[in-house]
Amino acid sequence: MFSPEGALDKNMKVLVVDDFSTMRRIIKNLLRDLGFTNISEADDGNTALPMLKDGNFDFVVTDWNMPGMQGIDLLKAIRADSNLSHIPVLMVTAEAKKEQIIMAAQAGVNGYIVKPFTAATLNTKLDKIFERLG
Amino acid sequence: MSTKTNVHISLEQAKLLVEYIESDQQTKANELIAEIQSPINSELFEEIGKLTRQLHDSLNNFQIDERLNDLATADIPDAKERLNFVISHTEEAANKTMDAVEAIFPVVDGIQKQISTVNPLWQKLMHNDLDVVEFKALCQDIDVLLKTTEKESSKIHRLMTDVLMAQDFQDLTGQVIRKVIDLVREVEESLIYMLTAFGMSSEKNKSDQLPKVGENLVEGPIINSENRQDVVSGQDDVDDLLSSLGF
């Protein structure tokens, strides 16, 4: 569904990080609809990081504004850890300041979606991320 | 005041002062000095007096204003509770809706599956290209399809009613939020009154300051993006910005 060759592994391990369980549920449903089945959840960066460290995750979808460790700091931590730095990170957030988007880009985000978003946007961004990664 | 520091005393006053000091009448001497300086002091004292009265009145008014006390001790904690009610009710509504939707997905998928089972033979029938054996099979498939669709559509109908009923939060949370807005307005008025009473102009600081941002510039959802230059107004803006950065 994401690449013409259908090369994308839908069994890849995805971690959805958001402090609101309803948003995690929405994203999980959308991802499931796109064929992803192996999805875990975390409610902030502090919960996510240890999961990533011993979880063999292939992809992270994270919110920005969360109590505890924020999404941008989680992104920085992922990029700073040589075992995790290869994991693509998609940010799905209500944070809409240009300065923040630039901050995220400089920190090495792979995609940035502003809330409220649509299923089509999520689909397009996923496509793009994995197309680029080849 | 600098001009008044050069006030000269008259010879008469000077003599009197010396006389007071020599006769050890310190109090009188002090009074005389105060009198000599009085053009400065009377203004100053008058002004201090005025300010003191104002301050006194203001403080008294605050003590009288029990409403302010009520706001702090009762209304604001109550508002916090109300807002928590909004969070829990919207969350509950979102979950109820998603429960129903998640239950509908497999039902619809099942019907879709059966339709695609029926479809090839149906197409053959439509093109007069169906033998008797296939026709029997088609009848079987259609029979199954009709029965499941009938059963499942009433299930979908019930779940859709659940989705409908889950939206009743809007009425309740709307009323609650409206009350909180009234409270915020009242607190705002009290604060403005306080500023005015202490002689600070609320207008002076009313410049279009941005709301305070947290760590990492976190601000949450932007509700007035059309009035802001520093924020994106949607996904297209994000994409444009990122592509301008070489993304």
Side-chain angles (χ1 to χ4, degrees):
Chain A
M1 205 177 287
F2 296 119
S3 60
E5 304 81 27
L8 191 73
D9 178 16
K10 293 291 173 56
N11 290 319
M12 69 161 64
K13 246 180 125 177
V14 183
L15 183 61
V16 176
V17 192
D18 197 306
D19 53 330
F20 277 89
S21 65
T22 46
M23 185 44 71
R24 292 199 300 271
R25 203 169 162 186
I26 290 172
I27 293 172
K28 255 173 95 169
N29 266 301
L30 292 173
L31 288 173
R32 226 183 272 139
D33 216 28
L34 294 170
F36 292 90
T37 47
N38 202 350
I39 306 166
S40 305
E41 297 176 38
D43 60 4
D44 83 328
N46 287 329
T47 325
L49 208 52
M51 289 173 78
L52 290 168
K53 279 182 176 158
D54 46 44
N56 279 322
F57 281 93
D58 304 295
F59 182 44
V60 174
V61 181
T62 183
D63 185 20
W64 181 316
N65 186 9
M66 294 176 287
M69 190 197 266
Q70 295 184 1
I72 185 75
D73 297 322
L74 174 64
L75 170 64
K76 287 175 184 166
I78 290 172
R79 292 292 174 258
D81 184 326
S82 57
N83 291 321
L84 306 176
S85 59
H86 65 281
I87 302 176
V89 176
L90 171 65
M91 206 148 226
V92 180
T93 174
E95 296 303 316
K97 277 199 279 298
K98 291 171 186 167
E99 223 178 321
Q100 289 175 298
I101 298 167
I102 294 168
M103 194 193 282
Q106 284 167 346
V109 82
N110 297 75
Y112 198 105
I113 294 177
V114 280
K115 293 174 187 169
F117 66 104
T118 65
T121 303
L122 181 66
N123 197 356
T124 317
K125 298 303 159 200
L126 284 173
D127 254 337
K128 223 172 176 180
I129 289 171
F130 291 108
E131 205 179 276
R132 274 215 192 92
L133 294 173
Chain B
M1 277 219 296
S2 61
T3 55
K4 298 205 170 175
T5 53
N6 295 328
V7 166
H8 297 291
I9 61 171
S10 62
L11 182 62
E12 208 173 302
Q13 284 173 320
K15 280 182 179 166
L16 200 56
L17 185 60
V18 173
E19 196 186 309
Y20 283 151
I21 295 171
E22 278 177 351
S23 61
D24 218 10
Q25 289 181 283
Q26 195 56 49
T27 320
K28 282 198 165 175
N30 287 349
E31 276 170 13
L32 181 60
I33 291 170
E35 194 190 310
I36 293 165
Q37 290 181 325
S38 69
I40 310 165
N41 283 353
S42 66
E43 271 175 43
L44 192 63
F45 286 146
E46 204 174 305
E47 193 57 31
I48 290 173
K50 220 156 65 185
L51 286 172
T52 310
R53 261 195 310 280
Q54 270 179 12
L55 185 63
H56 179 79
D57 289 348
S58 302
L59 289 173
N60 267 353
N61 283 343
F62 281 130
Q63 279 160 5
I64 298 164
D65 194 356
E66 285 190 7
R67 185 70 195 114
L68 206 66
N69 188 44
D70 288 349
L71 283 176
T73 56
D75 294 61
I76 289 178
D78 178 62
K80 285 195 277 190
E81 231 167 86
R82 285 170 185 278
L83 290 176
N84 277 324
F85 169 92
V86 172
I87 292 179
S88 62
H89 270 68
T90 49
E91 182 182 350
E92 194 186 309
N95 279 321
K96 266 192 214 164
T97 305
M98 284 190 280
D99 285 344
V101 171
E102 282 173 13
I104 291 173
F105 277 145
V107 176
V108 174
D109 289 349
I111 293 173
Q112 209 169 29
K113 222 180 200 166
Q114 285 185 11
I115 290 174
S116 39
T117 313
V118 171
N119 218 12
L121 289 181
W122 179 255
Q123 289 306 321
K124 277 182 124 182
L125 176 72
M126 293 303 280
H127 292 94
N128 282 326
D129 189 22
L130 202 68
D131 63 36
V132 182
V133 180
E134 285 174 326
F135 183 72
K136 278 185 177 163
L138 177 62
C139 288
Q140 282 290 330
D141 289 347
I142 288 179
D143 190 52
V144 173
L145 176 64
L146 287 176
K147 278 177 183 149
T148 22
T149 312
E150 188 178 27
K151 192 181 78 191
E152 301 293 46
S153 16
S154 66
K155 188 176 178 183
I156 292 173
H157 192 102
R158 186 172 52 73
L159 289 165
M160 298 283 258
T161 310
D162 289 349
V163 172
L164 181 74
M165 293 316 293
Q167 311 311 309
D168 67 352
F169 74 93
Q170 168 61 28
D171 171 37
L172 302 172
T173 56
Q175 291 180 47
V176 168
I177 290 175
R178 211 167 279 148
K179 275 211 134 180
V180 175
I181 291 173
D182 285 344
L183 172 66
V184 170
R185 191 181 303 126
E186 200 181 334
V187 171
E188 183 187 28
E189 279 163 10
S190 294
L191 287 176
I192 287 175
Y193 170 73
M194 199 190 292
L195 285 173
T196 323
F198 281 102
M200 289 178 256
S201 162
S202 56
E203 291 298 320
K204 201 167 64 188
N205 300 320
K206 212 180 176 180
S207 60
D208 44 354
Q209 282 172 348
L210 296 175
K212 271 210 175 115
V213 292
E215 200 192 342
N216 290 323
L217 307 171
V218 160
E219 192 181 323
I222 308 286
I223 46 167
N224 57 344
S225 61
E226 64 279 359
N227 300 327
R228 299 263 303 260
Q229 295 299 313
D230 62 328
V231 300
V232 294
S233 61
Q235 190 61 41
D236 288 345
D237 276 5
V238 177
D239 296 346
D240 289 348
L241 178 60
L242 287 176
S243 71
S244 77
L245 293 170
F247 254 67

